[in-house]
Amino acid sequence: MSESRSLIQLKPGREKSVRNRHPWVFSGAVGRVRGAPQPGTIVDLLDGAGDFLARGYYNPRSQIAVRLLSWDAAEEINTAWWRQRLQAALARRAALAASGASEAYRLVHAESDGLPGLIVDRYGDWLVLQSLTLGIEPWKPTLAGLLMEMLGPRGIYERSDADVRAQEGLPPATGLLAGAEPPQELVIRENGLRFQVDILHGHKTGFYLDQRENRRKVAPYCVGREVLNAFSYTGAFAVYAASQGAKGITNLDSSAEALRMAAQNLRLNGLERDSDQYIEGDAFQVLRRFRDQGTQFDLIILDPPKFAFSRAQLLAATRGYKDINLLAMRLLRPGGILCTFSCSGLVSEDLFQKVLFGASVDAGREVRILERLGQGSDHPVLLTFPESAYLKGFICRVEP
Ligand code: SAH
C-alpha cells in the first residue's frame, strides 16, 4: 500500500457488498476519511476494523463515493493496470470481432468490464469514448493513448455528454481525443446491412448498439407483414424489416432528424419504397390516433427511451409501459406480433412481463411470449453487479 494514498474506512457492518465484489460504495456507508483525498483520485477502502478491502476512485460529490477497481492490495492503478483491463475487455469481444458480422459494437461496458464509468464503442475505424465519472476524467489521455496503441483506430472521439455526469459534478465534454476527426457521415456495417451513424451528435455514442442482436431476431417475423416501428430513431429495425420483405413500414419518432436519417438508411441499403411512412410525433398520441382511425398493423416494434431514472419514477414508468403496450396490442391484426422493449434498469424482466400481462387483460387480447430478448453479448451483465442488466424485450403473438 502506498503511504501517500488516502484511506476511506467503512462504517462497521457495511463491508458485505464490497466483499461480494459489488463495485459501488455509497456515501452512507463511508465512516472515516483519512488523509485528504482529492476528488477523482485513487483511495484505499478499509473495513470497520481498518483492514484493506479494495481500491478505487473517490468522489465526495457523488452518492457513489467510491467506485472500486481492484480487490488486490498489491495492484497499483497505473498505465499497466488500465492496459491489462482494456486487453481483457477486448478479449471478451474477440469472437465478435473475428466473426466480422458487424463493425460496430461495444468494446468496454463500464462496471461489467471492471472499468467503472468508462464506455468505449467501436464504429468501424473510429472509437467513441464516454467518461461518466470524475474518477475516469484524469485517465482519459492515458486511455486514448492505450486504445490507439492497441487497436490503431483512425481516431477517438469523446462523447461524454450523458446526463448522469451531472450527478458527478461534471459538465458535458465532447471532442477529439486522439487521431483524426471522424466524418459526420460515417457508415458502418451491421449484420450485412449499412447504417449511417452520426457519432458527433447522435444519441448515446451514435447508435443503439445494445439492440443489434434483437434487430436480427425480430427481422424474420417481418416477412410479408405491415410493420409499425415506433420509437424508430434512425430506422435500424426498419432496415432489417425491409431487408426481409416487410409489406410496408411506418417509422414513428419524435425527432425529425432521426426520421430523416431513417429514410437515408433505407436508401443506403436500396430498400426504400414509396409506401414507406414517416411520422413525427409523440408515440402515445399517434397510437391513440391510429386506434381512433382504425389503423392496424401486423407487427409493432416498441423501443421507447428509458422511462425510470429513479425508484420514485418507477410507478409512472410502469404506467407508461402499460399504456403504450395496451395501445399496441389493440392496433394489431389477429395473430399480430408485438416486439416490445424496456431499457429501464429499474424495471426488471419479471416486472415488465407483469406490466404486459396487465396490458393484455385490459386490451382483451391473448398474448404469448415467443422469445425473450436482452442486451447484446458486448453489453455483458456482471453477476456481482446486477445493475448492469437493463435491456429486456419480448417477441409476442397477440390474438383476440
Ligand atoms: N429502436 C431504435 C432506438 C430507439 S431509441 C434503434 O434500434 O436504433 C428511442 C427513440 O424514441 C429516440 O429516437 C427518441 O427520439 C424517441 N422518442 C422519445 N420519446 C418519444 C415519444 N414520446 N414519442 C416518439 N418517439 C419518442
Side-chain angles (χ1 to χ4, degrees):
M1 249 185 266
S2 124
E3 288 307 313
S4 60
R5 195 176 292 125
S6 294
L7 306 172
I8 306 280
Q9 188 164 8
L10 287 180
K11 288 178 183 160
R14 298 300 292 266
E15 40 283 287
K16 187 166 176 229
S17 78
V18 175
R19 291 203 201 281
N20 283 339
R21 302 238 165 181
H22 193 285
W24 290 352
V25 178
F26 288 97
S27 54
V30 171
R32 273 178 69 196
V33 177
R34 287 198 256 153
Q38 285 303 302
T41 58
I42 304 293
V43 293
D44 277 359
L45 188 74
L46 310 180
D47 64 14
D51 291 325
F52 176 90
L53 275 176
R55 186 165 291 151
Y57 59 72
Y58 178 60
N59 185 356
R61 274 195 66 165
S62 171
Q63 275 195 51
I64 303 168
V66 187
R67 299 207 189 216
L68 299 172
L69 303 171
S70 171
W71 280 258
D72 179 354
E75 219 169 56
E76 290 297 330
I77 310 303
N78 53 23
T79 304
W81 183 89
W82 293 99
R83 177 186 286 113
Q84 181 263 322
R85 284 287 161 106
L86 289 175
Q87 264 161 355
L90 298 188
R92 287 178 199 118
R93 279 93 178 158
L96 187 62
S99 80
S102 296
E103 50 184 16
Y105 48 87
R106 181 148 293 186
L107 291 170
V108 176
H109 189 46
E111 274 80 350
S112 299
D113 279 300
L115 291 162
L118 178 68
I119 303 280
V120 182
D121 288 338
R122 179 188 164 207
Y123 291 98
D125 295 334
W126 309 87
L127 300 184
V128 181
L129 182 147
Q130 195 169 54
S131 157
L132 300 172
T133 55
L134 186 67
I136 291 295
E137 291 294 294
W139 295 100
K140 285 190 306 198
T142 306
L143 290 164
L146 287 169
L147 290 165
M148 287 301 282
E149 170 196 313
M150 292 161 67
L151 293 160
R154 289 179 63 191
I156 305 178
Y157 194 80
E158 177 174 17
R159 279 297 305 275
S160 302
D161 51 352
D163 294 338
V164 291
R165 273 172 67 99
Q167 297 170 22
E168 291 273 314
L170 290 169
T174 57
L176 191 65
L177 284 179
E181 186 91 23
Q184 185 122 27
E185 311 224 323
L186 180 71
V187 173
I188 56 105
R189 217 170 15 79
E190 178 184 281
N191 292 323
L193 299 166
R194 280 150 46 89
F195 298 94
Q196 193 192 311
V197 177
D198 182 353
I199 64 181
L200 303 182
H201 313 102
H203 291 182
K204 306 226 275 186
T205 62
F207 203 54
Y208 287 84
L209 298 172
D210 52 358
Q211 288 282 29
R212 182 184 54 253
E213 290 312 306
N214 299 333
R215 290 191 274 265
R216 199 174 50 75
K217 286 178 185 159
V218 165
Y221 291 93
C222 298
V223 181
R225 286 196 155 103
E226 207 175 319
V227 174
L228 170 62
N229 183 21
F231 306 95
S232 67
Y233 189 49
T234 56
F237 275 103
V239 172
Y240 279 74
S243 76
Q244 297 290 312
K247 214 200 289 169
I249 298 173
T250 302
N251 289 293
L252 162 59
D253 202 279
S254 54
S255 158
E257 173 59 15
L259 289 169
R260 189 192 63 77
M261 282 182 71
Q264 204 162 318
N265 280 329
L266 281 159
R267 263 199 309 280
L268 191 60
N269 291 278
L271 293 167
E272 79 280 19
R273 280 174 305 182
D274 292 342
S275 60
D276 295 339
Q277 298 227 35
Y278 298 91
I279 301 176
E280 180 190 343
D282 172 34
F284 290 86
Q285 286 173 14
V286 175
L287 263 60
R288 283 201 163 71
R289 200 171 73 219
F290 285 153
R291 178 195 63 193
D292 297 342
Q293 294 167 342
T295 307
Q296 292 205 298
F297 298 93
D298 303 311
L299 185 146
I300 298 178
I301 298 158
L302 292 181
D303 185 19
K306 190 167 166 177
F307 286 165
F309 291 87
S310 67
R311 295 216 167 268
Q313 295 172 346
L314 198 52
L315 186 63
T318 54
R319 286 208 185 103
Y321 286 121
K322 182 177 173 190
D323 190 24
I324 198 90
N325 279 282
L326 192 159
L327 284 163
M329 286 173 189
R330 287 197 168 144
L331 296 182
L332 283 167
R333 297 194 178 99
I337 300 288
L338 175 63
C339 306
T340 181
F341 297 93
S342 161
C343 61
S344 301
L346 290 168
V347 176
S348 66
E349 184 184 301
D350 186 48
L351 176 57
F352 192 42
Q353 182 173 328
K354 288 195 174 86
V355 168
L356 292 181
F357 158 72
S360 75
V361 170
D362 287 7
R365 299 290 189 275
E366 193 170 83
V367 178
R368 288 178 175 75
I369 296 174
L370 307 181
E371 295 193 44
R372 293 171 184 273
L373 309 175
Q375 57 216 58
S377 61
D378 50 339
H379 295 61
V381 178
L382 185 64
L383 284 184
T384 55
F385 184 59
E387 292 87 342
S388 49
Y390 67 100
L391 179 62
K392 73 248 21 137
F394 297 105
I395 300 178
C396 303
R397 190 177 161 93
V398 179
E399 289 169 22

